[in-house]
Each structure stands twice: as structure tokens, then as C-alpha cells.
Amino acid sequence: MTAAGVVAAVLLLAVAAYTCAGGTDYGAGFWDLTAGGAERGKRPRWLIDHAMAPVWEVNNVWLIFVLVIMWTGFPVFFQTVFSAMWLPLALAAIGIVLRGAGFALRKPTRRIAGRRVYGAVFAVSSLLTPFFLGAAAGGIASGRVGPGTEPTAHAWFNPTSVFFGLLAVVGTALLGAVFLAADAVRYEAPDLHAYFRRRALVALAVFAVLGAVTLIVAHGDAPHLWHGLSHGAGLVLVVLAVVATLVTAWLLLRTSGAWSRPAAVVLMASAVLAWGVAQRPYLIPGRLTVAEAAGAPSTLHWLLIVTVVAAVLVFPAVAFLYRLDTRGELEPLTDADLRRGGPEPES
Amino acid sequence: MHTTLHLLAEAPPQMLPARSLMAFTLASHIILVPMGVALPLITLIMHGYGLRRGDATALLLARRWSAVMAVQFAIGVVTGTVLSFEFGLLWPGLMGRWGDVFGIGFGVEAWAFFLEAVLIAIYLYGWRRLPARTHFLLGLPLPVTALLGAFGILAANSWMNTPQGFSLDSEGNPVDVDVRKAIFTPMFGPQYWHFVVAMLVTAGFVVAGVYATGWLRGRRDRYHRLGFTVPFTVAAVFTPVQFMLGDAIARAVFQKQPVKFAAMEIVWNTDTHVPEYLFGRLHPDGTVTGGIKIPQLDSILAGFSPDTEVHGLATVPAENRPTVAQATLIHWTFDIMVGIGSVLLLLVVWYAFVWWRRRRLPASPWFYRSAACAGVASVIAVECGWITTEVGRQPWIVYENMRVAEAVTGARSSSLWTMFGLVVVVYVFIFGSFLAVLLKMRTRWRLDDERRAEAGTMATPETDTPYGPRSAVAAGDAPAPGNGDGTASTEDGRP
């Protein structure tokens, strides 16, 4: 495999990692949005706040990694995507700010009205951002843009894009529910475990149906993608995704719900990898190959060195963080810590 | 003035909104950077001091600062993500042609940032459960990752100022990329150290300023004294260093980017014995009005001798240099930055003198008034320094290789203006909320300390230690299952 091919594989893996890690966060936002009024949604929201807090910045950094690999490894690809898909990406960027700020500011805010505003901002942008990112991915997958394409709605508002966008939203909801169900066990809240397990099952069913419909849509709308998904490695990954769907469903139906998280991650990752592998040897089907888009050879080599260093340094650190987090070693430094005892000073 | 209008008329309509948006988002993000780069270090110093001396006040301060860090870091992550999007959304031409030449710095930045996010999460959320020593040790690499992150960003920026590490083919596209040369460009060293130290100084003064204000309001306990002394000392140690580095970078600009230097010092004709203007305004005919003129000084500063020849703006064609308005702007920002730096140095000398003679903090309220302003002043200096670097490079986005106009997006200027408007609204909301949250946290802590002092059960807040077993906060804070009748609604607050 050429250096460009390896970098493309790294890019795809980073996209898959962001889908799984960031997706879980977006999913938590989805369930925050649907949790109901302040009273009814209090407990789910409490869990969302506590479960997400320690890891969500790390999850977000995957996206920066994706962007950096894109513009360093494949500058023309980066230029093409950001020129042609201007609007969805601009909206996604604004969504990311609103979402991050909404979540970060909700924690230290104590008045219910303020929490509502931040919460709503956080939740709505959790819905819109994955949709637009998914739509942009759909535009790429269906080969609608190429070098020199002007910003156009056609690039991201088409059957494949819309279904990719919906798939992204439902996929994040699925991941969010699965992870929150497991977190509920950790936080010893059996009622929330049941609550999120039900939602995970519903999301899984919708995801499976939507995935099947997307495949049918791709058959007519994105022929190269369809070909890749129905042959060779792409097909293997599609089959893996289907198996992972069944396994996740089975695990969720058992009351303990153990191992449902890895199964859901395998499901999402194999779906993303299937998309990427199906596009080979193109970054944008029919328009731009990996080789054409590749940056300078020496840069690609250095990018690989940087990636290896990152793998050596970052992955143990990330693994350590996730381990500490799942073992409950990380607890939010709440205001209560700093302000123990006594009645509420204001109000 | 004619040339300005001429250039503006030629510029694509996307230029102004794209530039405004980039400037606005960067100027906002840069406010958070000192806190992101240097607050971990200052917090860890306080933390280490607290652990070593068994000083609960220091530990309490460190813990509260880490709570500030949490909010600050979260906002910084999202505003930083927006910037990466904007590279593509606003400057696709830059990234498409040069992404593989200068992008690798960002690669380093990305993984440094990754590590920082991991470590910061462990540090922030490890206070309660991790053993004290482990927790502190896991925090220690934080400042290093911050320095690495700055390395990546500054490598990219200094490359835009003094690009190298490539050659051009017949179509003007870069080939034969040499990544090492592209990272270690002539301006990299001066820019990097100047930046890092600026961050340390700024963060130190900002944090100390908060406690100086409390001191002025009569809160003169050990908590405030410690909260002031540690960050102020950090800033004080680095302020003279920064003065030297500032001098070095100005001379590096003089040598490597003579046109930028000419604009910074509003020098029109190449000459020796060039005078220094403090402020003043440059006109299209090369004359300067207003300001204070100091004969010979510019030549002396640039090359230690009045015989030093300084290049003038007039040596390059008008379309290849900053306009007179831009030159005047960066001349002002440069002078403001240097002015603020000099005043801060005087403040530090005052502090050091009193400490040397009397082994105590200065008693004068004027010292604390100045210290309270020092934080804001240093943030202004950071903004000014950034404007000087970026505007001084105009009209080039890649110095002498690509104009800003060639890099700009083809998106409709109306879309860009709309996005700009949207971003301004969003950022005003975010930064306003950020400030409100910080002030709220401060008020809550203060009331808590006062209440505890009155209660007498614990004479001062300092006696409380941040480590050790707690009452079950996580479980206790959880709203009760069922209807959530709010029996334990401490986390949710009240209307």
C-alpha cells in the first residue's frame, strides 16, 4: 500500500473513531432533547451530565484530528469538500460551538431557567450537527462534488445525503442510549438502565431499517458506493455490521446489558469503515482518487510518523482515561464539593 | 488613500466578510489561550506547594482554579474547532495549495491537544477519587502538552510569515516539500518563545488580578494573599524575560520581514538614522503626523547603531505591502503592546524591590490597583501583538507566495456575512455566559468562605482539605427516582 493509501486508512479510522466517540456524545444530547420537561427529564439529564462530563472533550478532539489529516494529507480533497459543502459544514461548525458551550455552561449554572436555555441549545445542536456532517458525508459518498465544484445545495441535499444525515442522527442516538444504559448501572440507577435500554432498542430498530433503506437508495443514487458495498471487503464489513446489529439487539434484550457497548461500537465502526472501503480507490467516487488528492510524499511520511507517535502516546492515555471513567474513578468536581454544607446562599 | 480604494475595489467581495469572521473568531479564541496554556502550570505550582507544605488553603485554591480551567477548556475546545472549520470554509485556496506544506504542525498540535484533553479530564475529575500523589503526578505533564500544542500552531503561523521548505513548479504549485524546513522557519523560534512567555505572563497577571481586587475590597486573609502571590510571582519572573524576547523578535522581524518592520515603525523611505515614532499616523505620501518623534532611535533599536539602514515601505510596490491604514494600525498595536509591557515591567520591579528589601508584599493600594489592571492590560497586549503579526503580513496570506485574495472561498459574500452575524451572536452569548458563570462561581465561593468563617466550626475555609472521603455527593446529588419531588435537588438549583 502506498503512503497515501495508509494515510487514507488512518483518516478513515479517525472518522470511525469520531463517529463512535463523538457520536455517543451527540446521542446523549439527543436523549437530553427528548427527556421531557424539567421535572420528568431531571433524572435522565442528571445521568447525561455526570456520565458524559469527563470524556466529552476528548471525544471532540477526534474531529480535529480528522480535519488535520484531511488538509495535511489530502489538501485538494479538503479544499473540494469545504468549498462545495459550504453551508452544511458552516452549520455543523456553529452547531459544534453551541453544543459544546451549552453543555459546558449548563453544569455550573444553577438557576433552572438558565439550565433550560443551555440545555435546549445543547440538545438541538446535538441533533443538527450530526445531520449536517452526515449529509456532507453523503455528498462525498455519492460523488456529487469534485475539484472546482462551486458551493451548491445539490452537493448535500440529495437522497444519499439526506439518508446519511438521518443515519448519523439515529446512529448517535443508538450509541448514546447504549452507553447511558451502561452508565446507569455504574451510577446504580436501575430505573434509568431500563429507561435507556428501551430507547437503545428502539434506536437500534430504526437504525437497522434506515440502514437498509440507505442501501437501496445508494443502489440508484450512488452506484459506485453500492458496488463497493456489495462486493469484496465492503460486503464483509456490511455483513459484520448486520451481525453486530443482531448481537447488540440480543445483548440489549438480556437484562444485564453487559457487552452491549462494544457491540454497538463495532456496529457503528463497521458501518463507517464499510462506507470508506466501498469508495476505494476514490476519496470522492468518480471524481478524486486517493493518489490524485495526496499531498507531498515527504509530508505523508511525516504525517505517518506523527500518527505513530500519537498512537504510542495518545492511545494508552485515552485508554487509561476511558478505563478510569468506566471504573468510576473520575467524578465531577461539582460545586457541591467546593460548597459543602449550609443552605443555598442565593435565591 | 487612492491605492487603498483601488485595492479594495479589486478585492473579491468575499474578502471583507471572510477576514472579519476570521479576525473575530481568532481574537475571541486568543483570550482563552493564555488560560489554556499557562493556567495548568500555575495551578500545578499552587497544588504542589499545597501538597508539600500540607497547606489546605493552597489546595483549595488549586481546586477552585481547576474548576475555572474546566469551563475555560470546554469553551476553548469548541472555539478552536470552529477555527479548524474556518480554514476550509474561508480559505480553501490556502489549504488546497499549501495544506501539505505547513499542515504537519497542526498534526503535532492535534495529538498534543489530544493528550492535553485526556490529562485535563483526569486532573479535573480525579480530585475526589485518585490518591493525592497520583493525582498530582498525572497533572504534571499538562504544561508540557500545552507547550507542544503551541509548538504546532506557532509552526504553522510562522511558516505563513516566512514560508520555506518547498520549491515551485512551472505552474506555481509547491513541490519538493521539506517538512523540517517548513516547521523550523526563521520566524519560528522568536514567535514561539515570545508567544509562550506571553501566555505565562498573561495568565499570571489575570489570576493575580482577581485576588488583587479582593485585596482592595478588604479581603486580606491568607487565602487572598496566597492566591495573589503565586500567580503574580510567576508573571513577575517571566516579565523581564518577555522584555528580552520582545526585543529579539522585533529584530528578527527587522531582518526576516523588513516590510512588516517598516510598517510597524511607519518607515517610508529606506534610510539610516531613522527616527522612532511613538504613535502618529502615516499618510500616503510618506509623511507622519502626530505622535512623538525620537531622533535616531529606530535605527539604534534595529541594529544597535544610528548608522543601521532600515528599509522603508516605499521600496516595495504598493500592491505588495500593507496599506497606510494597515501600517498605522499595526504601528499603534505594536506601540500599545510595547507600552503595556514596559509598564508591567515597572510594576514587577516595584514588587521585586519591596520583596528584596522587606520580604513582604508591597502595602500601597496603588500597587494592588495596578496589579488588578495588569491582567486586562496583558490580554490587550496579547491582542495587539496578534494584530501586529497578522495585519503586518498583508496583503499576503503566505508571505510573498499567495495573496489573501487568492485564498478566499468562492461562497457568496451574503452567506459569509450571514455566518459572521450568526457567529457574533453565538460568541457574545457564549462569552457572556462564560463570564457570568465565572462571576457566579466566585460569588458562591466567597459566600461559602464567609459563611464558614462565621459558623466557627472551621475557623477558616483553609482548614478544609480537598482530599479524602466525601459525603456521597454523586449519589446524594442525584434527583430521587420517580416523580423527582426534588428532595435532593442541590444539583439542579432553584429558580
Side-chain angles (χ1 to χ4, degrees), chain A residues 110 334-346, chain B residues 60 63-64 219 221 223-224 439-464:
Chain A
R110 305 181 56 77
T334 60
D335 293 330
D337 274 321
L338 299 165
R339 179 194 41 79
R340 257 156 295 130
E344 191 60 15
E346 61 256 322
Chain B
L60 186 71
R63 204 156 64 121
R64 287 181 174 177
R219 287 185 276 279
D221 45 17
Y223 176 81
H224 279 82
L439 292 175
K440 206 64 179 281
M441 274 157 75
R442 183 200 60 169
T443 312
R444 217 179 283 151
W445 289 339
R446 199 183 68 225
L447 290 171
D448 188 36
D449 291 348
E450 282 168 6
R451 196 171 53 239
R452 213 165 291 179
E454 279 166 20
T457 47
M458 294 179 232
T460 54
E462 289 86 85
T463 50
D464 192 11

Short mmCIF file of all heavy atoms in Angstrom, two decimals, chain A residues 110 334-346, chain B residues 60 63-64 219 221 223-224 439-464:
data_model
loop_
_atom_site.label_atom_id
_atom_site.label_comp_id
_atom_site.label_asym_id
_atom_site.label_seq_id
_atom_site.Cartn_x
_atom_site.Cartn_y
_atom_site.Cartn_z
N ARG A 110 -26.94 27.22 37.94
CA ARG A 110 -27.80 26.60 38.94
C ARG A 110 -29.27 27.01 38.81
O ARG A 110 -30.14 26.28 39.23
CB ARG A 110 -27.27 26.91 40.33
CG ARG A 110 -25.81 26.49 40.46
CD ARG A 110 -25.26 26.75 41.81
NE ARG A 110 -26.05 26.11 42.82
CZ ARG A 110 -26.00 24.82 43.10
NH1 ARG A 110 -25.20 24.05 42.42
NH2 ARG A 110 -26.74 24.33 44.04
N THR A 334 -17.90 18.81 41.48
CA THR A 334 -19.13 19.60 41.47
C THR A 334 -18.97 20.81 42.37
O THR A 334 -18.06 20.89 43.19
CB THR A 334 -20.32 18.79 41.98
OG1 THR A 334 -20.02 18.39 43.31
CG2 THR A 334 -20.58 17.59 41.13
N ASP A 335 -19.88 21.72 42.19
CA ASP A 335 -19.87 22.87 43.08
C ASP A 335 -20.10 22.42 44.52
O ASP A 335 -19.63 23.04 45.46
CB ASP A 335 -20.95 23.87 42.68
CG ASP A 335 -20.62 24.47 41.34
OD1 ASP A 335 -19.42 24.57 41.05
OD2 ASP A 335 -21.53 24.80 40.60
N ALA A 336 -20.84 21.33 44.64
CA ALA A 336 -21.11 20.84 45.98
C ALA A 336 -19.81 20.52 46.72
O ALA A 336 -19.71 20.69 47.93
CB ALA A 336 -21.98 19.59 45.91
N ASP A 337 -18.80 20.09 45.96
CA ASP A 337 -17.51 19.81 46.58
C ASP A 337 -16.92 21.06 47.20
O ASP A 337 -16.30 21.02 48.24
CB ASP A 337 -16.52 19.35 45.51
CG ASP A 337 -16.62 17.88 45.29
OD1 ASP A 337 -16.81 17.16 46.28
OD2 ASP A 337 -16.54 17.46 44.13
N LEU A 338 -17.08 22.12 46.47
CA LEU A 338 -16.45 23.36 46.89
C LEU A 338 -17.36 24.14 47.83
O LEU A 338 -17.01 25.17 48.34
CB LEU A 338 -16.15 24.21 45.65
CG LEU A 338 -15.18 23.54 44.68
CD1 LEU A 338 -15.20 24.24 43.35
CD2 LEU A 338 -13.79 23.52 45.25
N ARG A 339 -18.53 23.66 48.05
CA ARG A 339 -19.54 24.48 48.71
C ARG A 339 -20.39 23.55 49.60
O ARG A 339 -21.59 23.58 49.57
CB ARG A 339 -20.38 25.12 47.59
CG ARG A 339 -21.51 25.99 48.00
CD ARG A 339 -22.40 26.24 46.81
NE ARG A 339 -22.61 25.09 45.97
CZ ARG A 339 -23.46 24.11 46.24
NH1 ARG A 339 -24.20 24.13 47.30
NH2 ARG A 339 -23.58 23.08 45.41
N ARG A 340 -19.68 22.69 50.31
CA ARG A 340 -20.45 21.72 51.08
C ARG A 340 -21.14 22.33 52.27
O ARG A 340 -20.62 23.25 52.89
CB ARG A 340 -19.55 20.57 51.55
CG ARG A 340 -19.72 19.33 50.72
CD ARG A 340 -18.49 18.49 50.82
NE ARG A 340 -17.36 19.16 50.23
CZ ARG A 340 -16.20 19.30 50.84
NH1 ARG A 340 -16.01 18.84 52.03
NH2 ARG A 340 -15.21 19.91 50.22
N GLY A 341 -22.29 21.82 52.60
CA GLY A 341 -22.98 22.23 53.82
C GLY A 341 -23.69 23.55 53.68
O GLY A 341 -23.36 24.37 52.83
N GLY A 342 -24.67 23.76 54.51
CA GLY A 342 -25.35 25.04 54.53
C GLY A 342 -26.38 25.16 53.42
O GLY A 342 -26.33 24.43 52.44
N PRO A 343 -27.30 26.07 53.60
CA PRO A 343 -28.33 26.25 52.59
C PRO A 343 -27.77 27.00 51.38
O PRO A 343 -26.68 27.53 51.41
CB PRO A 343 -29.38 27.09 53.31
CG PRO A 343 -28.61 27.86 54.33
CD PRO A 343 -27.43 27.03 54.70
N GLU A 344 -28.54 27.01 50.34
CA GLU A 344 -28.19 27.73 49.13
C GLU A 344 -28.07 29.21 49.45
O GLU A 344 -28.99 29.80 49.98
CB GLU A 344 -29.31 27.49 48.12
CG GLU A 344 -29.01 27.95 46.74
CD GLU A 344 -27.81 27.25 46.17
OE1 GLU A 344 -27.36 26.23 46.72
OE2 GLU A 344 -27.31 27.77 45.18
N PRO A 345 -26.91 29.81 49.15
CA PRO A 345 -26.77 31.22 49.52
C PRO A 345 -27.70 32.17 48.76
O PRO A 345 -28.29 33.05 49.36
CB PRO A 345 -25.31 31.52 49.18
CG PRO A 345 -24.85 30.43 48.30
CD PRO A 345 -25.70 29.25 48.58
N GLU A 346 -27.80 31.99 47.45
CA GLU A 346 -28.65 32.94 46.73
C GLU A 346 -30.08 32.43 46.68
O GLU A 346 -30.37 31.40 47.25
CB GLU A 346 -28.11 33.18 45.32
CG GLU A 346 -28.03 31.99 44.45
CD GLU A 346 -26.59 31.47 44.31
OE1 GLU A 346 -25.69 32.29 44.23
OE2 GLU A 346 -26.42 30.27 44.32
N LEU B 60 -7.05 24.28 48.28
CA LEU B 60 -8.39 24.79 47.96
C LEU B 60 -8.32 25.71 46.74
O LEU B 60 -9.14 25.62 45.82
CB LEU B 60 -8.96 25.56 49.16
CG LEU B 60 -10.39 26.02 49.00
CD1 LEU B 60 -11.35 24.84 49.04
CD2 LEU B 60 -10.77 27.03 50.07
N ARG B 63 -7.80 23.75 43.63
CA ARG B 63 -9.00 23.04 43.22
C ARG B 63 -10.00 24.00 42.58
O ARG B 63 -10.65 23.68 41.59
CB ARG B 63 -9.63 22.36 44.41
CG ARG B 63 -10.49 21.20 44.02
CD ARG B 63 -10.60 20.25 45.15
NE ARG B 63 -11.28 20.89 46.25
CZ ARG B 63 -12.40 20.42 46.77
NH1 ARG B 63 -12.95 19.34 46.29
NH2 ARG B 63 -12.96 21.03 47.76
N ARG B 64 -10.11 25.18 43.13
CA ARG B 64 -11.02 26.14 42.53
C ARG B 64 -10.53 26.58 41.16
O ARG B 64 -11.32 26.75 40.23
CB ARG B 64 -11.18 27.34 43.46
CG ARG B 64 -12.02 26.96 44.67
CD ARG B 64 -12.24 28.10 45.62
NE ARG B 64 -13.16 27.66 46.66
CZ ARG B 64 -13.51 28.40 47.70
NH1 ARG B 64 -13.02 29.62 47.83
NH2 ARG B 64 -14.35 27.94 48.58
N ARG B 219 -10.49 42.08 51.61
CA ARG B 219 -10.38 40.67 51.99
C ARG B 219 -8.90 40.31 52.07
O ARG B 219 -8.29 39.94 51.07
CB ARG B 219 -11.12 39.81 50.96
CG ARG B 219 -12.62 39.93 51.09
CD ARG B 219 -13.33 39.00 50.17
NE ARG B 219 -13.47 39.54 48.84
CZ ARG B 219 -14.42 40.41 48.49
NH1 ARG B 219 -15.31 40.81 49.36
NH2 ARG B 219 -14.48 40.86 47.26
N ASP B 221 -7.11 37.99 53.84
CA ASP B 221 -6.75 36.76 54.55
C ASP B 221 -5.64 36.05 53.79
O ASP B 221 -5.18 36.49 52.74
CB ASP B 221 -7.98 35.86 54.69
CG ASP B 221 -8.75 35.77 53.39
OD1 ASP B 221 -8.16 36.12 52.34
OD2 ASP B 221 -9.92 35.38 53.41
N TYR B 223 -5.86 33.31 52.27
CA TYR B 223 -6.40 32.80 51.00
C TYR B 223 -6.12 33.79 49.87
O TYR B 223 -5.63 33.43 48.80
CB TYR B 223 -7.90 32.58 51.19
CG TYR B 223 -8.67 32.15 49.97
CD1 TYR B 223 -8.68 30.82 49.57
CD2 TYR B 223 -9.41 33.07 49.23
CE1 TYR B 223 -9.40 30.41 48.48
CE2 TYR B 223 -10.14 32.68 48.13
CZ TYR B 223 -10.13 31.35 47.75
OH TYR B 223 -10.85 30.95 46.67
N HIS B 224 -6.42 35.06 50.12
CA HIS B 224 -6.20 36.06 49.08
C HIS B 224 -4.70 36.35 48.87
O HIS B 224 -4.27 36.59 47.76
CB HIS B 224 -6.95 37.36 49.41
CG HIS B 224 -8.39 37.28 49.02
ND1 HIS B 224 -9.33 36.68 49.82
CD2 HIS B 224 -9.04 37.68 47.91
CE1 HIS B 224 -10.50 36.73 49.21
NE2 HIS B 224 -10.36 37.34 48.06
N LEU B 439 -18.18 34.64 37.31
CA LEU B 439 -18.53 35.56 38.39
C LEU B 439 -19.42 34.87 39.42
O LEU B 439 -19.29 35.06 40.62
CB LEU B 439 -19.24 36.79 37.82
CG LEU B 439 -18.35 37.69 36.96
CD1 LEU B 439 -19.16 38.82 36.35
CD2 LEU B 439 -17.20 38.26 37.80
N LYS B 440 -20.31 34.03 38.90
CA LYS B 440 -21.20 33.29 39.79
C LYS B 440 -20.42 32.34 40.68
O LYS B 440 -20.65 32.25 41.89
CB LYS B 440 -22.17 32.50 38.90
CG LYS B 440 -23.48 32.17 39.51
CD LYS B 440 -24.28 33.41 39.81
CE LYS B 440 -25.62 33.05 40.39
NZ LYS B 440 -26.57 32.63 39.37
N MET B 441 -19.45 31.67 40.09
CA MET B 441 -18.64 30.73 40.86
C MET B 441 -17.88 31.50 41.95
O MET B 441 -17.83 31.07 43.11
CB MET B 441 -17.64 30.03 39.93
CG MET B 441 -18.20 28.79 39.27
SD MET B 441 -17.35 28.32 37.75
CE MET B 441 -15.88 27.64 38.29
N ARG B 442 -17.35 32.65 41.57
CA ARG B 442 -16.59 33.45 42.53
C ARG B 442 -17.48 33.86 43.71
O ARG B 442 -17.10 33.72 44.87
CB ARG B 442 -16.05 34.70 41.82
CG ARG B 442 -15.19 35.56 42.69
CD ARG B 442 -15.10 36.95 42.13
NE ARG B 442 -16.41 37.58 42.04
CZ ARG B 442 -16.61 38.86 41.78
NH1 ARG B 442 -15.58 39.64 41.55
NH2 ARG B 442 -17.81 39.36 41.73
N THR B 443 -18.68 34.36 43.36
CA THR B 443 -19.58 34.80 44.42
C THR B 443 -19.94 33.65 45.35
O THR B 443 -19.94 33.79 46.57
CB THR B 443 -20.89 35.34 43.80
OG1 THR B 443 -20.53 36.23 42.76
CG2 THR B 443 -21.74 36.04 44.82
N ARG B 444 -20.20 32.51 44.74
CA ARG B 444 -20.60 31.34 45.53
C ARG B 444 -19.47 30.93 46.49
O ARG B 444 -19.69 30.65 47.65
CB ARG B 444 -20.90 30.21 44.56
CG ARG B 444 -22.06 29.36 44.98
CD ARG B 444 -22.29 28.30 43.94
NE ARG B 444 -22.95 28.78 42.75
CZ ARG B 444 -22.77 28.24 41.55
NH1 ARG B 444 -21.95 27.23 41.38
NH2 ARG B 444 -23.42 28.72 40.51
N TRP B 445 -18.25 30.94 45.95
CA TRP B 445 -17.12 30.56 46.80
C TRP B 445 -16.93 31.54 47.93
O TRP B 445 -16.65 31.16 49.07
CB TRP B 445 -15.84 30.50 45.94
CG TRP B 445 -15.83 29.35 44.98
CD1 TRP B 445 -16.56 28.21 45.08
CD2 TRP B 445 -15.07 29.24 43.78
NE1 TRP B 445 -16.30 27.39 44.02
CE2 TRP B 445 -15.38 27.99 43.20
CE3 TRP B 445 -14.14 30.07 43.14
CZ2 TRP B 445 -14.80 27.56 42.02
CZ3 TRP B 445 -13.56 29.63 41.97
CH2 TRP B 445 -13.90 28.39 41.41
N ARG B 446 -17.09 32.81 47.60
CA ARG B 446 -16.85 33.82 48.63
C ARG B 446 -17.89 33.69 49.75
O ARG B 446 -17.55 33.70 50.92
CB ARG B 446 -16.89 35.22 48.02
CG ARG B 446 -16.21 36.23 48.90
CD ARG B 446 -16.31 37.61 48.33
NE ARG B 446 -17.65 38.10 48.35
CZ ARG B 446 -18.23 38.72 47.33
NH1 ARG B 446 -17.57 38.90 46.22
NH2 ARG B 446 -19.47 39.15 47.43
N LEU B 447 -19.15 33.55 49.33
CA LEU B 447 -20.20 33.42 50.34
C LEU B 447 -19.96 32.18 51.20
O LEU B 447 -20.16 32.20 52.41
CB LEU B 447 -21.57 33.33 49.66
CG LEU B 447 -22.02 34.63 49.01
CD1 LEU B 447 -23.28 34.39 48.18
CD2 LEU B 447 -22.29 35.69 50.06
N ASP B 448 -19.51 31.15 50.53
CA ASP B 448 -19.24 29.90 51.24
C ASP B 448 -18.14 30.11 52.28
O ASP B 448 -18.27 29.70 53.44
CB ASP B 448 -18.81 28.85 50.22
CG ASP B 448 -18.69 27.49 50.83
OD1 ASP B 448 -19.50 27.18 51.72
OD2 ASP B 448 -17.77 26.73 50.44
N ASP B 449 -17.07 30.78 51.87
CA ASP B 449 -15.96 31.03 52.78
C ASP B 449 -16.42 31.89 53.96
O ASP B 449 -16.06 31.64 55.10
CB ASP B 449 -14.83 31.75 52.05
CG ASP B 449 -14.16 30.83 51.03
OD1 ASP B 449 -14.44 29.63 51.07
OD2 ASP B 449 -13.39 31.33 50.19
N GLU B 450 -17.21 32.93 53.63
CA GLU B 450 -17.66 33.83 54.69
C GLU B 450 -18.55 33.10 55.69
O GLU B 450 -18.42 33.25 56.89
CB GLU B 450 -18.43 35.01 54.09
CG GLU B 450 -17.48 36.05 53.49
CD GLU B 450 -18.21 37.07 52.65
OE1 GLU B 450 -19.47 37.05 52.63
OE2 GLU B 450 -17.52 37.88 52.00
N ARG B 451 -19.44 32.28 55.12
CA ARG B 451 -20.36 31.55 55.98
C ARG B 451 -19.60 30.62 56.92
O ARG B 451 -19.86 30.53 58.10
CB ARG B 451 -21.33 30.76 55.13
CG ARG B 451 -22.54 30.29 55.89
CD ARG B 451 -23.57 29.69 54.96
NE ARG B 451 -23.00 28.66 54.11
CZ ARG B 451 -23.00 28.71 52.79
NH1 ARG B 451 -23.52 29.73 52.16
NH2 ARG B 451 -22.48 27.73 52.10
N ARG B 452 -18.60 29.98 56.32
CA ARG B 452 -17.85 29.03 57.12
C ARG B 452 -17.05 29.74 58.21
O ARG B 452 -16.92 29.26 59.32
CB ARG B 452 -16.93 28.23 56.22
CG ARG B 452 -16.76 26.85 56.73
CD ARG B 452 -16.17 25.97 55.69
NE ARG B 452 -17.09 25.73 54.59
CZ ARG B 452 -16.76 24.98 53.54
NH1 ARG B 452 -15.56 24.47 53.45
NH2 ARG B 452 -17.62 24.76 52.59
N ALA B 453 -16.53 30.90 57.84
CA ALA B 453 -15.77 31.66 58.84
C ALA B 453 -16.68 32.08 59.99
O ALA B 453 -16.28 32.03 61.16
CB ALA B 453 -15.14 32.89 58.17
N GLU B 454 -17.91 32.47 59.66
CA GLU B 454 -18.85 32.88 60.71
C GLU B 454 -19.28 31.70 61.57
O GLU B 454 -19.41 31.81 62.77
CB GLU B 454 -20.11 33.50 60.08
CG GLU B 454 -19.91 34.94 59.67
CD GLU B 454 -21.04 35.40 58.76
OE1 GLU B 454 -22.12 34.76 58.77
OE2 GLU B 454 -20.82 36.38 58.02
N ALA B 455 -19.50 30.58 60.92
CA ALA B 455 -20.02 29.42 61.64
C ALA B 455 -19.08 29.01 62.76
O ALA B 455 -19.52 28.55 63.81
CB ALA B 455 -20.23 28.26 60.68
N GLY B 456 -17.79 29.20 62.54
CA GLY B 456 -16.85 28.95 63.60
C GLY B 456 -16.49 27.50 63.78
O GLY B 456 -15.52 27.17 64.44
N THR B 457 -17.25 26.62 63.17
CA THR B 457 -16.90 25.21 63.29
C THR B 457 -15.53 24.97 62.67
O THR B 457 -14.74 24.19 63.17
CB THR B 457 -17.94 24.32 62.59
OG1 THR B 457 -18.20 24.88 61.30
CG2 THR B 457 -19.21 24.23 63.38
N MET B 458 -15.33 25.65 61.56
CA MET B 458 -14.00 25.62 60.98
C MET B 458 -13.58 27.08 60.92
O MET B 458 -14.22 27.87 60.24
CB MET B 458 -14.03 25.03 59.59
CG MET B 458 -14.41 23.57 59.59
SD MET B 458 -14.45 22.96 57.92
CE MET B 458 -16.04 22.22 57.86
N ALA B 459 -12.54 27.39 61.63
CA ALA B 459 -12.19 28.79 61.78
C ALA B 459 -12.07 29.52 60.45
O ALA B 459 -12.57 30.61 60.29
CB ALA B 459 -10.90 28.90 62.57
N THR B 460 -11.43 28.87 59.50
CA THR B 460 -11.28 29.48 58.18
C THR B 460 -11.53 28.41 57.14
O THR B 460 -11.45 27.22 57.45
CB THR B 460 -9.83 30.01 57.99
OG1 THR B 460 -8.96 28.91 58.24
CG2 THR B 460 -9.52 31.15 58.92
N PRO B 461 -11.81 28.80 55.95
CA PRO B 461 -12.02 27.78 54.93
C PRO B 461 -10.78 26.93 54.71
O PRO B 461 -10.85 25.82 54.22
CB PRO B 461 -12.35 28.60 53.67
CG PRO B 461 -11.91 29.98 53.96
CD PRO B 461 -12.01 30.14 55.44
N GLU B 462 -9.64 27.48 55.11
CA GLU B 462 -8.38 26.79 54.82
C GLU B 462 -8.26 25.45 55.53
O GLU B 462 -7.51 24.59 55.10
CB GLU B 462 -7.18 27.66 55.23
CG GLU B 462 -6.97 28.87 54.37
CD GLU B 462 -7.79 30.05 54.81
OE1 GLU B 462 -7.33 30.78 55.70
OE2 GLU B 462 -8.89 30.25 54.30
N THR B 463 -8.96 25.31 56.65
CA THR B 463 -8.78 24.07 57.39
C THR B 463 -9.39 22.87 56.69
O THR B 463 -9.12 21.74 57.04
CB THR B 463 -9.40 24.18 58.79
OG1 THR B 463 -10.72 24.67 58.62
CG2 THR B 463 -8.61 25.09 59.70
N ASP B 464 -10.21 23.15 55.72
CA ASP B 464 -10.84 22.05 55.00
C ASP B 464 -9.88 21.53 53.94
O ASP B 464 -9.24 22.29 53.24
CB ASP B 464 -12.11 22.56 54.32
CG ASP B 464 -12.94 21.43 53.82
OD1 ASP B 464 -12.63 20.28 54.16
OD2 ASP B 464 -13.88 21.69 53.07
#
